[in-house]
mmCIF file of all heavy atoms in Angstrom:
data_model
loop_
_atom_site.group_PDB
_atom_site.id
_atom_site.type_symbol
_atom_site.label_atom_id
_atom_site.label_comp_id
_atom_site.label_asym_id
_atom_site.label_seq_id
_atom_site.Cartn_x
_atom_site.Cartn_y
_atom_site.Cartn_z
ATOM 1 N N ALA A 167 21.076 14.891 13.705
ATOM 2 C CA ALA A 167 21.698 13.855 12.875
ATOM 3 C C ALA A 167 20.593 13.160 12.081
ATOM 4 O O ALA A 167 19.580 12.735 12.647
ATOM 5 C CB ALA A 167 22.431 12.848 13.745
ATOM 6 N N ILE A 168 20.775 13.089 10.763
ATOM 7 C CA ILE A 168 19.827 12.389 9.884
ATOM 8 C C ILE A 168 20.525 11.109 9.447
ATOM 9 O O ILE A 168 21.618 11.157 8.876
ATOM 10 C CB ILE A 168 19.446 13.259 8.671
ATOM 11 C CG1 ILE A 168 18.898 14.620 9.151
ATOM 12 C CG2 ILE A 168 18.434 12.548 7.784
ATOM 13 C CD1 ILE A 168 18.533 15.591 8.034
ATOM 14 N N VAL A 169 19.898 9.969 9.749
ATOM 15 C CA VAL A 169 20.629 8.708 9.696
ATOM 16 C C VAL A 169 19.973 7.704 8.753
ATOM 17 O O VAL A 169 18.772 7.440 8.867
ATOM 18 C CB VAL A 169 20.684 8.062 11.109
ATOM 19 C CG1 VAL A 169 21.584 6.825 11.097
ATOM 20 C CG2 VAL A 169 21.159 9.070 12.148
ATOM 21 N N GLY A 170 20.767 7.134 7.849
ATOM 22 C CA GLY A 170 20.266 6.014 7.058
ATOM 23 C C GLY A 170 20.558 6.137 5.584
ATOM 24 O O GLY A 170 21.657 6.506 5.176
ATOM 25 N N ASP A 171 19.504 5.869 4.813
ATOM 26 C CA ASP A 171 19.614 5.781 3.361
ATOM 27 C C ASP A 171 19.497 7.194 2.772
ATOM 28 O O ASP A 171 18.481 7.554 2.184
ATOM 29 C CB ASP A 171 18.476 4.866 2.880
ATOM 30 C CG ASP A 171 18.500 4.624 1.386
ATOM 31 O OD1 ASP A 171 19.362 5.195 0.700
ATOM 32 O OD2 ASP A 171 17.632 3.868 0.909
ATOM 33 N N ILE A 172 20.564 7.983 2.950
ATOM 34 C CA ILE A 172 20.525 9.389 2.518
ATOM 35 C C ILE A 172 20.360 9.478 0.999
ATOM 36 O O ILE A 172 19.614 10.317 0.490
ATOM 37 C CB ILE A 172 21.834 10.119 2.937
ATOM 38 C CG1 ILE A 172 22.145 9.919 4.431
ATOM 39 C CG2 ILE A 172 21.782 11.591 2.550
ATOM 40 C CD1 ILE A 172 21.226 10.587 5.379
ATOM 41 N N ALA A 173 21.033 8.581 0.279
ATOM 42 C CA ALA A 173 21.073 8.684 -1.182
ATOM 43 C C ALA A 173 19.686 8.602 -1.818
ATOM 44 O O ALA A 173 19.423 9.256 -2.825
ATOM 45 C CB ALA A 173 21.961 7.588 -1.762
ATOM 46 N N HIS A 174 18.792 7.804 -1.233
ATOM 47 C CA HIS A 174 17.480 7.603 -1.846
ATOM 48 C C HIS A 174 16.399 8.412 -1.134
ATOM 49 O O HIS A 174 15.213 8.216 -1.408
ATOM 50 C CB HIS A 174 17.101 6.118 -1.810
ATOM 51 C CG HIS A 174 18.040 5.262 -2.596
ATOM 52 N ND1 HIS A 174 19.113 4.623 -2.037
ATOM 53 C CD2 HIS A 174 18.080 4.980 -3.925
ATOM 54 C CE1 HIS A 174 19.777 3.966 -2.975
ATOM 55 N NE2 HIS A 174 19.177 4.167 -4.119
ATOM 56 N N SER A 175 16.804 9.296 -0.218
ATOM 57 C CA SER A 175 15.806 9.943 0.636
ATOM 58 C C SER A 175 15.516 11.386 0.238
ATOM 59 O O SER A 175 16.328 12.272 0.429
ATOM 60 C CB SER A 175 16.262 9.912 2.099
ATOM 61 O OG SER A 175 15.338 10.617 2.881
ATOM 62 N N ARG A 176 14.299 11.601 -0.259
ATOM 63 C CA ARG A 176 13.872 12.975 -0.542
ATOM 64 C C ARG A 176 13.658 13.742 0.759
ATOM 65 O O ARG A 176 13.765 14.957 0.807
ATOM 66 C CB ARG A 176 12.603 12.955 -1.389
ATOM 67 C CG ARG A 176 11.457 12.128 -0.821
ATOM 68 C CD ARG A 176 10.418 11.821 -1.878
ATOM 69 N NE ARG A 176 9.309 11.027 -1.398
ATOM 70 C CZ ARG A 176 8.556 10.276 -2.188
ATOM 71 N NH1 ARG A 176 8.787 10.214 -3.473
ATOM 72 N NH2 ARG A 176 7.540 9.598 -1.700
ATOM 73 N N VAL A 177 13.364 13.004 1.829
ATOM 74 C CA VAL A 177 13.205 13.649 3.143
ATOM 75 C C VAL A 177 14.549 14.227 3.601
ATOM 76 O O VAL A 177 14.630 15.365 4.067
ATOM 77 C CB VAL A 177 12.676 12.632 4.178
ATOM 78 C CG1 VAL A 177 12.613 13.242 5.564
ATOM 79 C CG2 VAL A 177 11.305 12.114 3.760
ATOM 80 N N ALA A 178 15.613 13.438 3.441
ATOM 81 C CA ALA A 178 16.942 13.908 3.842
ATOM 82 C C ALA A 178 17.339 15.136 3.038
ATOM 83 O O ALA A 178 17.840 16.123 3.582
ATOM 84 C CB ALA A 178 17.971 12.803 3.653
ATOM 85 N N ARG A 179 17.089 15.100 1.733
ATOM 86 C CA ARG A 179 17.504 16.222 0.881
ATOM 87 C C ARG A 179 16.765 17.506 1.276
ATOM 88 O O ARG A 179 17.372 18.561 1.432
ATOM 89 C CB ARG A 179 17.236 15.899 -0.591
ATOM 90 C CG ARG A 179 17.767 16.942 -1.554
ATOM 91 C CD ARG A 179 17.421 16.561 -2.981
ATOM 92 N NE ARG A 179 18.074 15.323 -3.363
ATOM 93 C CZ ARG A 179 19.267 15.252 -3.962
ATOM 94 N NH1 ARG A 179 19.909 16.357 -4.247
ATOM 95 N NH2 ARG A 179 19.791 14.099 -4.277
ATOM 96 N N SER A 180 15.436 17.415 1.450
ATOM 97 C CA SER A 180 14.684 18.629 1.801
ATOM 98 C C SER A 180 15.085 19.128 3.188
ATOM 99 O O SER A 180 15.202 20.338 3.407
ATOM 100 C CB SER A 180 13.171 18.362 1.746
ATOM 101 O OG SER A 180 12.757 18.243 0.398
ATOM 102 N N ASN A 181 15.314 18.199 4.119
ATOM 103 C CA ASN A 181 15.759 18.629 5.455
ATOM 104 C C ASN A 181 17.165 19.223 5.417
ATOM 105 O O ASN A 181 17.459 20.176 6.143
ATOM 106 C CB ASN A 181 15.707 17.458 6.434
ATOM 107 C CG ASN A 181 14.381 17.394 7.174
ATOM 108 O OD1 ASN A 181 13.973 18.356 7.817
ATOM 109 N ND2 ASN A 181 13.698 16.273 7.076
#
Side-chain angles (χ1 to χ4, degrees):
I168 305 178
V169 187
D171 183 357
I172 309 291
H174 297 94
S175 176
R176 54 197 180 204
V177 175
R179 186 182 296 268
S180 288
N181 268 304

